[in-house]
Amino acid sequence: MPRRRSPSPSSSTAPRNRTPQPVRVRRRSFGDFVKAFLAFVALLVLLVGAPFALAVTAGWPLPETFEPMEWLKQDISVGTFLSILTFVVWLAWAQFTACVLVEMKAALSGVGVPGRVPGAGPSQLLARQLVAALLLVGATAASFTPGLGQLGQSIEGNQRPTVAAAQQTPGLFAQQQEQAAGTAAALAEQASHAEAAPGSSAKQRGDTKFYRIQPPEGRHHDSLWEISERHLGDGRRYKEIFDLNKDRTQPDGSKLSEASLIRPGWIMEMPGDARGGDLVEMPDDAPEVSPEVQQQIRDYDRTGDRAEGGGSGSGAAQVSVPEQRPAPAPAPGNDDAGHRAPAEQHATPAAQDSSSFGLPEALLAAPLLAAGLLGALGHRRRQALWQSAFGGIGGRRGMEPPTPAGDALDVQDALLVGADPEGVRLLDRSLRGLAASLAAESRPLPTVYAAWLSSGDLHLQLAQPSGKPPAPWQLGQDETFWLLAKDDAERYEDTDTAAPYPGLVSLGTMDDSRLLLNLESVPGLVSLSGSEADRAAVFASVAAELATNGWSDRMTITLVGFGEDLTSLAPSRLRHLDGVEALIETMEAETRQRRGALGAAGHDSVLTGRTGPAQHTRWAPHLVLLAAEPSAEDAVTLAELAADASRLGIGYLVGTEGGELPGAAWEMEITGEGRLLAPLLGLELDAQLLPAAQQRAVVELFTDADPGRGPDGPGDTPPFLVDISEQGRPAVYARLVGPYEIIGLDTPDDERSALLHEALALLLLHREGVHPRVLASALWPRGVTDDVREALVERLRGWLGTEPDGTPRLGTDATGRLTLAKSVVSDLDVLRSLYHEATQGKGVDSRAVRGRLLTDALVLVRGPLLADRPEGRYRWLTHEIVDAQLPLLVADTGLALAEFHLVKDRAEKAIEALNAALRTAPADERLWNELLRATHALDDPERLTALAADLIGRSGARGLPPRTEALLDELLPAWRDTVAAAG
């Protein structure tokens, strides 16, 4: 159970949201001026006149020579008593002078209580009163200074202490990590106020406050120490106030340069956890504060970090948009047949196409999320195929994945169009390359708050300057930006380095730049307000990208209050908890564990651990996504846990209905128009979203591809069966299994031949239909204009021609997808149909028919899919499952034909069939094992030994698979010694 913190004793002042009560201070009268003048005269007489009179009348009190023995021999006379008395008077004057100096120093410095001069009780009290009376002159003069005289006064002219809390929350990470723990300790009191007044505004909990330095009243003079002691509970925190206000222009035009030199009328910005009985709310809401004062406070606030967008002496940081580099001038001509930059392609999909054909634009505008989902979906489908393949012939579920329909098909097409796998690859290589370079230089990883992707360039925004970045990185717009140009990023190769910043996640775009926030580096909570549905779309997008992104290795993502079905996207990364209570219990234990592990390893943070020897096994981030708004007590507990979370690699994103969240380092709001707002940071993003309907469709794609599904999963029936009889001869026949050939069509113009061939191959592999935008995205990954895409479709339609009845062989279905006529087939279609007919059709009842069909099928296999595809083309095949399906299909065909021959003891025929299948599926263990059995059937030990030696040589350092070793032990018991002797 979460434990409550009791309020700090120093925070037992009046509630912060109370109505402001101005303090009445008596105005300076004529008598005050008289007192100040008399004090000045008295000090002048005592400090200057007294020693002058003594020097004239009595002379210097010390003797001209130092002869103690002679002094003892002299008689005691009246002159001796006068000399002793004169020395005592001089000593009293020196003591009083010391008292005046001590009091003046304390009054002017404003730090602490004046020191005590030994034995000077009445003298120091007199000095203190005279100094206080004298300072009235300076304080009154300051009150007549233009502008300052009105600061803190009402229309009647009565002076009031001004401590204004501007309606402003600290910017992103405005509280330093080392101060976060202190801030969290003060949140318990705020929570108690929130519980006592649930209807009151919560905005004051994180407000930035402004305090006006007051003129002295008697001996009491404002000092940063006393201000810190009153409002922060610890005078030693005066340095925080100094850091927040150092070198900022005050209303009188001067600047704070030393903590001891403050002037009445100056304005001091206070830390976010300042409190006290004399605090008032924002001047706009405080009628006692004049409009002039309100304006001066606003003017002073604009001189702070939130207005300037940079760090200050306090170490505050904020996310800002990186400066854009000049774009290279476009080359003359058609710009590669209408290509466009990726930023333009993904930033405004609606502008590219007047009709999206129902494709969800939220995914079209999320290239990194789409790439991650697409890659994870392909991996899931391959897993299902491999599990199906090793289930054994006859007992398997089949290897044809279900064809998506409805929303799932639209989402799959949107993923294909919107995905930017190249951008993910460059981002991943760039970050890992940076980590490797820093490790080679024995430099730690800098803390990165955010990353910006802008026109292919990568900008990292650091928490603080970290020196010169390693090449090819360079400094950006200031020392907190590291820049890697796109051309330089392409120089990076894959490296065996742990992912340095796995907590980066896309939030949206601003000015054609994509923002990725590093959730695990935030010194506190990140809050998200807005309607429940809008917040859910943001949370789902963040969870899906974190679960499937390509720039992370290992991580844990805990979902609370949403997304139980999302765990199917990545069961090894995503987990769901039922409520906040379970979350707090889990995170308290993990926080303690991580603190202990870091201490035992001698690391300051997880960043130093990721570059050490244990980089691949430890220090993976844990990111918490809490969609339901926590109670006040739970919010305080979470804030306390988050105070040290950035050092431990833990990040928190917490939803709230609309009020502010205690301990939030960054506050965001999602609007109904899809805008993600952080006004205090100057950010207004087009949010990256995953709405509920698309979330369900994404989950459907993953669950349908789940390898653990039951018998109702994928079957053996291909999506498109052809007529394999003589009457079913196609009009257009494309050979894809092996070198690419087309029979039945004239060769198009050389300039467009490769493009048309690639488009036809994509359509042949998707008989269910291809969305025009999917086709364009596959052929032009960098983007293309609508007119170029439409011209290609018309050119392809003309090349394929028409059926005898005049129907075009390239048609369009009701959803707008491009489909091929049944008269246009490929050898892959024929191969699938032959295998299906042999194992589930006529070949089941006729052994002769089965043997002929399997033999015909294996004859079609001439090598890998599209074996001679040119460099740089057909990149869309990386998203296709057919590259994994074809070897399995060929292996199944070879195994079935080998079994057909072995039944009749035709081992050589079986070996011939297996070798033909191995040319396309050389890594299939089932083929090698069946080849060993067929060779053993020949009763030729030398041939079996040679095959075993060849198989061992192919296995390399990995060694033989366990099942193959077991089979050799059965077929050739002495194979280890025999193979070693033969080698």
Side-chain angles (χ1 to χ4, degrees):
M1 291 295 292
R3 291 182 291 274
R4 299 183 182 179
R5 284 192 178 184
S6 59
S8 171
S10 62
S11 62
S12 59
T13 54
R16 300 178 57 188
N17 295 334
R18 70 177 182 86
T19 304
Q21 299 295 331
V23 178
R24 297 284 182 177
V25 179
R26 182 176 54 85
R27 296 189 61 188
R28 304 298 181 244
S29 63
F30 178 75
D32 294 328
F33 284 98
V34 173
K35 290 179 181 179
F37 177 74
L38 293 177
F40 175 75
V41 172
L43 286 173
L44 187 64
V45 170
L46 292 173
L47 295 180
V48 180
F52 179 76
L54 284 172
V56 172
T57 59
W60 187 248
L62 298 179
E64 297 179 357
T65 61
F66 185 74
E67 298 177 352
M69 297 303 298
E70 294 295 329
W71 298 345
L72 292 176
K73 295 177 182 179
Q74 293 179 0
D75 297 333
I76 299 177
S77 62
V78 176
T80 302
F81 280 106
L82 290 176
S83 297
I84 294 174
L85 184 59
T86 301
F87 178 79
V88 172
V89 174
W90 274 106
L91 186 62
W93 171 85
Q95 186 188 55
F96 180 77
T97 303
C99 293
V100 172
L101 293 177
V102 169
E103 293 295 330
M104 289 290 292
K105 178 181 181 300
L108 293 177
S109 66
V111 179
V113 178
R116 293 180 59 85
V117 178
S123 296
Q124 188 164 4
L125 179 58
L126 175 61
R128 184 174 302 166
Q129 292 174 347
L130 292 175
V131 169
L134 176 63
L135 288 178
L136 288 177
V137 178
T140 308
S143 68
F144 286 104
T145 303
L148 285 178
Q150 298 172 353
L151 185 57
Q153 300 178 16
S154 65
I155 298 178
E156 291 81 4
N158 292 329
Q159 223 176 19
R160 306 177 186 279
T162 305
V163 182
Q167 186 182 353
Q168 203 159 13
T169 303
L172 177 56
F173 320 118
Q175 299 175 2
Q176 303 177 42
Q177 295 186 37
E178 59 267 23
Q179 299 173 5
T183 304
L187 294 173
E189 181 195 9
Q190 299 176 12
S192 65
H193 292 319
E195 291 175 345
S200 62
S201 172
K203 69 180 181 180
Q204 289 82 5
R205 292 171 182 164
D207 288 349
T208 302
K209 302 158 188 71
F210 297 93
Y211 180 85
R212 177 177 178 262
I213 304 300
Q214 296 301 303
E217 178 66 20
R219 77 173 185 87
H220 297 287
H221 186 86
D222 258 347
S223 69
L224 295 186
W225 180 284
E226 292 176 348
I227 295 170
S228 177
E229 200 167 50
R230 288 198 307 270
H231 300 296
L232 300 177
D234 186 354
R236 291 170 295 182
R237 293 183 63 187
Y238 78 92
K239 294 181 180 179
E240 298 176 28
I241 306 176
F242 174 75
D243 289 338
L244 285 172
N245 298 276
K246 184 177 182 294
D247 295 330
R248 292 172 62 175
T249 303
Q250 293 291 336
D252 62 354
S254 57
K255 296 182 179 180
L256 174 65
S257 58
E258 296 183 23
S260 61
L261 299 179
I262 60 175
R263 302 179 184 177
W266 278 8
I267 300 172
M268 294 289 113
E269 179 178 342
M270 301 291 288
D273 60 333
R275 63 184 58 78
D278 56 350
L279 295 181
V280 298
E281 298 177 2
M282 177 64 189
D284 294 25
D285 304 324
E288 293 81 5
V289 180
S290 66
E292 292 81 5
V293 172
Q294 297 176 19
Q295 187 59 46
Q296 287 178 343
I297 293 175
R298 293 192 195 94
D299 292 342
Y300 184 75
D301 181 43
R302 296 191 186 99
T303 67
D305 297 330
R306 289 168 299 281
E308 297 172 0
S312 71
S314 65
Q318 102 183 40
V319 165
S320 56
V321 182
E323 293 180 353
Q324 304 294 317
R325 298 192 308 152
N334 195 28
D335 188 21
D336 194 13
H339 288 188
R340 292 199 292 185
E344 184 180 356
Q345 175 192 4
H346 297 298
T348 55
Q352 300 176 44
D353 197 341
S354 57
S355 174
S356 63
F357 296 102
L359 295 187
E361 294 185 357
L363 288 172
L364 296 178
L368 303 184
L369 170 61
L373 288 172
L374 203 57
L377 181 60
H379 178 72
R380 180 70 57 84
R381 287 173 171 171
R382 286 175 172 82
Q383 276 187 318
L385 281 178
W386 295 329
Q387 289 192 17
S388 174
F390 285 96
I393 299 175
R396 57 192 294 176
R397 295 182 297 120
M399 62 179 179
E400 296 294 340
T403 300
D407 290 342
L409 180 58
D410 290 340
V411 164
Q412 177 175 276
D413 286 343
L415 295 178
L416 290 167
V417 174
D420 183 15
E422 182 67 13
V424 172
R425 184 182 68 87
L426 289 179
L427 177 62
D428 181 44
R429 287 185 173 182
S430 300
L431 295 176
R432 294 179 194 268
L434 173 63
S437 299
L438 290 171
E441 298 177 7
S442 299
R443 296 173 58 185
L445 287 169
T447 300
V448 170
Y449 282 152
W452 291 90
L453 288 173
S454 179
S455 301
D457 297 340
L458 174 60
H459 305 255
L460 295 183
Q461 186 166 355
L462 313 184
Q464 57 189 7
S466 298
K468 183 179 180 181
W473 292 78
Q474 53 188 299
L475 287 176
Q477 61 198 52
D478 57 45
E479 292 184 347
T480 61
F481 273 93
W482 284 6
L483 166 65
L484 180 66
K486 180 181 179 182
D487 295 340
D488 294 330
E490 292 174 346
R491 293 159 45 187
Y492 276 118
E493 300 293 336
D494 292 331
T495 179
D496 186 23
T497 302
Y501 304 112
L504 285 169
V505 64
S506 304
L507 292 183
T509 57
M510 177 180 182
D511 298 335
D512 295 329
S513 296
R514 183 168 301 277
L515 170 65
L516 291 88
L517 175 67
N518 190 8
L519 280 179
E520 66 168 332
S521 72
V522 180
L525 306 176
V526 178
S527 69
L528 176 67
S529 62
S531 69
E532 183 178 358
D534 295 330
R535 294 200 321 268
V538 175
F539 274 100
S541 170
V542 170
E545 184 171 298
L546 288 173
T548 61
N549 71 48
W551 55 88
S552 303
D553 294 325
R554 298 170 55 249
M555 69 167 59
T556 300
I557 307 153
T558 299
L559 311 180
V560 185
F562 81 107
E564 186 173 3
D565 56 341
L566 286 175
T567 56
S568 62
L569 272 60
S572 61
R573 286 191 182 185
L574 289 169
R575 68 176 179 180
H576 179 268
L577 295 180
D578 293 332
V580 180
E581 182 177 348
L583 171 67
I584 291 177
E585 182 179 355
T586 300
M587 298 313 299
E588 283 181 336
E590 180 159 348
T591 299
R592 288 193 301 268
Q593 180 182 4
R594 289 199 174 212
R595 284 173 180 161
L598 280 178
H603 294 306
D604 295 331
S605 71
V606 295
L607 290 180
T608 57
R610 284 180 189 155
T611 56
Q615 55 176 306
H616 292 288
T617 58
R618 303 173 71 179
W619 320 124
H622 186 168
L623 305 175
V624 176
L625 307 181
L626 174 58
E629 182 172 15
S631 65
E633 179 184 358
D634 291 337
V636 170
T637 304
L638 289 173
E640 293 171 349
L641 291 172
D644 195 29
S646 60
R647 186 177 68 89
L648 306 176
I650 303 175
Y652 295 85
L653 178 62
V654 183
T656 175
E657 289 293 338
E660 294 180 0
L661 192 70
W666 191 21
E667 295 179 340
M668 302 181 297
E669 177 188 359
I670 178 65
T671 70
E673 294 75 30
R675 305 286 288 173
L676 192 66
L677 308 180
L680 301 180
L681 306 174
L683 294 181
E684 185 174 346
L685 307 173
D686 292 319
Q688 181 170 294
L689 306 172
L690 186 60
Q694 290 146 40
Q695 177 183 333
R696 289 192 297 268
V698 167
V699 171
E700 180 182 343
L701 289 174
F702 276 80
T703 53
D704 285 347
D706 190 348
R709 292 189 66 200
D712 57 340
D716 287 330
T717 304
F720 177 69
L721 290 172
V722 300
D723 185 357
I724 57 177
S725 65
E726 286 295 329
Q727 293 75 23
R729 186 177 299 275
V732 177
Y733 183 65
R735 305 180 73 180
L736 305 179
V737 186
Y740 191 3
E741 299 177 13
I742 297 180
I743 301 171
L745 292 177
D746 295 332
T747 303
D749 296 340
D750 292 339
E751 295 179 356
R752 299 188 176 92
S753 176
L755 203 62
L756 291 174
H757 277 70
E758 185 174 358
L760 179 58
L762 179 62
L763 290 166
L764 286 167
L765 294 178
H766 290 276
R767 303 301 307 218
E768 72 277 8
V770 177
H771 197 287
R773 296 186 66 177
V774 173
L775 178 65
S777 177
L779 300 179
W780 294 288
R782 296 177 54 211
V784 68
T785 55
D786 296 345
D787 57 340
V788 174
R789 183 194 66 212
E790 293 168 359
L792 169 74
V793 172
E794 291 304 317
R795 193 174 294 112
L796 182 61
R797 183 175 283 116
W799 180 45
L800 291 174
T802 60
E803 298 284 74
D805 60 358
T807 304
R809 294 190 176 115
L810 178 63
T812 304
D813 65 10
T815 65
R817 289 174 171 82
L818 301 173
T819 58
L820 291 174
K822 292 184 177 181
S823 62
V824 182
V825 301
S826 70
D827 54 355
L828 182 58
D829 296 327
V830 177
L831 175 61
R832 285 170 170 162
S833 300
L834 288 170
Y835 178 76
H836 178 266
E837 191 68 22
T839 56
Q840 300 184 49
K842 297 178 181 179
V844 174
D845 300 324
S846 173
R847 171 180 168 79
V849 172
R850 181 167 71 257
R852 177 175 56 81
L853 292 174
L854 291 173
T855 302
D856 291 345
L858 208 55
V859 169
L860 294 175
V861 180
R862 299 173 300 123
L865 184 72
L866 297 168
D868 58 352
R869 55 194 182 218
E871 182 93 16
R873 303 205 72 92
Y874 297 88
R875 293 182 178 177
W876 45 270
L877 279 174
T878 58
H879 300 311
E880 299 289 339
I881 197 175
V882 67
D883 262 346
Q885 281 179 307
L886 177 60
L888 291 176
L889 176 60
V890 172
D892 285 349
T893 305
L895 290 170
L897 187 57
E899 181 187 17
F900 173 82
H901 290 303
L902 286 174
V903 171
K904 294 296 184 180
D905 295 327
R906 294 194 291 264
E908 287 290 356
K909 288 287 188 180
I911 292 172
E912 181 181 345
L914 292 169
N915 282 326
L918 280 169
R919 286 192 288 270
T920 299
D924 198 305
E925 181 187 356
R926 299 172 302 157
L927 290 175
W928 286 104
N929 292 347
E930 198 63 26
L931 185 59
L932 287 171
R933 293 188 181 95
T935 305
H936 179 265
L938 295 176
D939 197 17
D940 188 346
E942 293 184 0
R943 188 169 177 179
L944 183 59
T945 301
L947 177 61
D950 181 41
L951 186 54
I952 292 172
R954 290 174 180 268
S955 63
R958 295 175 301 174
L960 293 174
R963 284 182 293 189
T964 303
E965 282 192 359
L967 180 60
L968 278 174
D969 289 338
E970 172 68 23
L971 302 179
L972 193 64
W975 66 272
R976 292 177 176 84
D977 298 334
T978 305
V979 170

